Amino acid sequence: MATESLEISPAPREYLSSRNIRDIELRTLEIEPQLEDPGSEAPQNACLAEGPTSLTREVKIKLLAAGFSFFFAGTNDGSLGPLVPYMLATYNISTTFVAVIYAASFVGWLTCAFTNSHLLRYLDTGAILVLGAALQLLAHVLRPWGSPFPLFAVSFFIASLGIAFQDSHSNTFVSTVVGAHRWLGFIHAMYALGLLVSPFVATAVASSTPNWRLFYLCLVGLGIANITFVAVAFRDSLRILPQQAEESEDVVRTGRNKAAMSSIIETFKLPGVWLLSMFFFFYLGVGVTAGGWVVEYLVTFRKAPLPSTGYVPAGLYGGMFLGRLLLAEPTHRWGERRMLILYIVIVFALQLVFWLVPDIIAGAVVLSFMGFFFGPFFATGVSIGSKMFPKKIQPTALGLVFVLAQAGGSLFPSLTGLIAGRVGVQVLQPILVGLIVAMGISWILVPKVPDRNQ
């Protein structure tokens, strides 16, 4: 599931050369150019300069490519909820088995966390982005032909691993651009747009054809476009990083691995990493649980008709799309911490209305407003993290935050499925209330950070 990011203030320095975006990334999320081991020098391909990355034509194309990759990730995540009832019927499984899909997605993000620091030392940014796009395409190719459930579940691991690679490095690149908070808001609004469009297409295909899996042919087409767009936009960094000519392969590998492990250990020692991760843990738990189980809840507990109810998540995601577009600027201007506390209170009140008012139309409207105020959360959290973490460990720190976010996005929907299998899907409502309260408390505990310019 994608993780969905936000307003990150531009880094104080950048790489002049647009030819090596990975170096921009490693500067923004800084990796020391000189390691303790004399034979472990990191590749350097550009010179340093002051100021954020200018919006040249090439940079704008890269921003559009990043936005499209987030849109594609959103179409994958947004389709799961509407298709759950069809999956249960086709594979003749209970809601308990849906937990396997969420668990597979989490393992994909976890794999990214443990490999990301190492990939940064071997592949340039364009190569990592194309790798992520290729993994997503492979996942969607496995789904339409009627694969058995174990392989179908494995495809979610592959897709999540690809999304993790693309999202993390796209976020890093966009955070270096002039007006980063607006562009980060743009790419994450594109993710929400994917979430919005996907339920409409998935429900239309599933309700009008005997084979709901044909929907994934649409994602195969988008996957081909995604890998093409990324390869063209980031062709200047589509390469394997060279090792120093005078160094042996073993020395280079040892130095790079040592630097990667050093970043991981230093990240684990930062309390702010764990506190921000806790916020994301509950945040994504709320969003994925609500989007993934609302259709089954309305159909099973409130007796809503399946074909039309499949469109309900679109209201949640449509609100999220608008919230990310319209609330990014006021959240930035009036204070990220205080505005998110206000949004959490509003979301909590709306969730109580959704629970206590047993009207299907009212529930759909309330979900739309919940999505609207839910919209800026991810971007704002990543913005805070970009200011809180030292630049030299930002790739590892943000990677850990994203993994623990995905842990929440996998654990709570899975627990909801396990509990629903025993007592009924109505358990969704108290679970969402508890998660929203935990999310609010965890946000208050996140350390305050100074302005980046300080």
Side-chain angles (χ1 to χ4, degrees):
M1 317 266 156
T3 61
E4 292 141 128
S5 303
L6 18 246
E7 183 239 306
I8 302 182
S9 303
R13 295 191 292 174
E14 70 162 29
Y15 287 96
L16 279 178
S17 173
S18 62
R19 181 172 92 71
N20 191 347
I21 302 305
R22 172 187 175 273
D23 288 338
I24 294 178
E25 176 172 287
L26 295 185
R27 181 69 203 119
T28 310
L29 304 126
E30 186 152 60
I31 297 205
E32 298 180 30
Q34 181 66 42
L35 307 174
E36 292 181 2
D37 189 333
S40 59
E41 189 172 293
Q44 297 294 321
N45 307 87
C47 33
L48 295 171
E50 297 295 326
T53 305
S54 301
L55 287 173
T56 62
R57 180 176 178 271
E58 291 76 13
V59 170
K60 290 179 181 179
I61 293 174
K62 290 181 171 69
L63 291 171
L64 292 176
F68 186 81
S69 71
F70 271 74
F71 171 79
F72 180 46
T75 59
N76 175 77
D77 294 352
S79 63
L80 181 57
L83 294 178
V84 163
Y86 299 96
M87 295 177 189
L88 299 180
T90 299
Y91 290 111
N92 194 26
I93 57 177
S94 68
T95 54
T96 303
F97 283 87
V98 180
V100 175
I101 293 177
Y102 289 108
S105 298
F106 167 66
V107 173
W109 280 87
L110 185 64
T111 303
C112 175
F114 283 102
T115 58
N116 206 28
S117 295
H118 296 275
L119 280 178
L120 281 168
R121 289 161 174 80
Y122 292 95
L123 299 179
D124 217 336
T125 298
I128 297 177
L129 292 175
V130 168
L131 173 62
L135 288 172
Q136 292 176 77
L137 178 59
L138 172 62
H140 294 306
V141 167
L142 293 175
R143 296 175 181 175
W145 55 272
S147 54
F149 183 76
L151 181 58
F152 184 74
V154 168
S155 73
F156 283 85
F157 159 77
I158 299 172
S160 294
L161 180 59
I163 290 171
F165 285 142
Q166 271 209 288
D167 282 14
S168 58
H169 293 279
S170 294
N171 276 319
T172 300
F173 167 72
V174 176
S175 70
T176 67
V177 175
V178 172
H181 72 279
R182 298 185 183 91
W183 288 107
L184 286 163
F186 161 72
I187 65 173
H188 287 276
M190 291 298 292
Y191 174 79
L193 181 62
L195 294 176
L196 170 62
V197 171
S198 190
F200 284 100
V201 180
T203 301
V205 173
S207 61
S208 61
T209 66
N211 186 1
W212 54 271
R213 297 186 190 91
L214 293 177
F215 162 74
Y216 290 111
L217 291 176
C218 301
L219 298 192
V220 169
L222 290 177
I224 294 172
N226 179 43
I227 196 171
T228 303
F229 201 177
V230 169
V232 171
F234 290 88
R235 61 188 180 278
D236 54 357
S237 58
L238 185 60
R239 60 173 186 154
I240 299 174
L241 292 173
Q243 68 182 47
Q244 299 294 330
E246 68 276 10
E247 296 171 347
S248 70
E249 183 178 347
D250 289 340
V251 170
V252 172
R253 184 183 299 111
T254 300
R256 289 174 173 179
N257 290 340
K258 181 188 295 186
M261 290 305 301
S262 176
S263 296
I264 293 173
I265 293 171
E266 187 173 351
T267 297
F268 285 170
K269 294 179 179 179
L270 284 179
V273 171
W274 301 104
L275 292 172
L276 185 62
S277 296
M278 184 169 62
F279 165 73
F280 276 103
F281 178 73
F282 292 116
Y283 157 77
L284 215 61
V286 175
V288 178
T289 302
W293 284 105
V294 65
V295 174
E296 184 68 13
Y297 169 78
L298 292 176
V299 171
T300 303
F301 187 69
R302 293 192 174 173
K303 308 304 179 184
L306 177 57
S308 58
T309 307
Y311 297 109
V312 170
L316 175 68
Y317 301 138
M320 191 180 298
F321 170 67
L322 292 177
R324 290 182 174 183
L325 286 179
L326 301 179
L327 295 180
E329 197 64 31
T331 302
H332 175 67
R333 288 179 178 272
W334 297 336
E336 296 165 327
R337 292 184 63 86
R338 69 172 65 95
M339 292 304 293
L340 245 65
I341 291 174
L342 174 61
Y343 299 153
I344 290 170
V345 172
I346 294 173
V347 168
F348 177 78
L350 290 170
Q351 168 57 28
L352 290 179
V353 173
F354 179 47
W355 185 4
L356 301 176
V357 177
D359 183 83
I360 297 173
I361 297 177
V365 173
V366 167
L367 277 175
S368 300
F369 280 102
M370 286 178 63
F372 179 76
F373 290 104
F374 211 61
F377 284 25
F378 199 96
T380 303
V382 176
S383 172
I384 293 294
S386 72
K387 301 169 187 175
M388 183 189 310
F389 307 143
K391 289 187 292 296
K392 66 179 181 179
I393 63 166
Q394 276 189 11
T396 305
L398 289 177
L400 178 60
V401 169
F402 294 154
V403 166
L404 293 179
Q406 290 300 323
S410 303
L411 174 64
F412 293 112
S414 300
L415 288 177
T416 301
L418 293 173
I419 299 173
R422 293 179 175 271
V423 301
V425 76
Q426 63 270 21
V427 74
L428 171 69
Q429 297 290 13
I431 287 177
L432 289 178
V433 169
L435 289 176
I436 292 171
V437 172
M439 179 179 63
I441 295 173
S442 61
W443 178 249
I444 294 172
L445 295 176
V446 172
K448 294 182 179 180
V449 294
D451 184 83
R452 182 180 285 248
N453 293 330
Q454 299 176 9

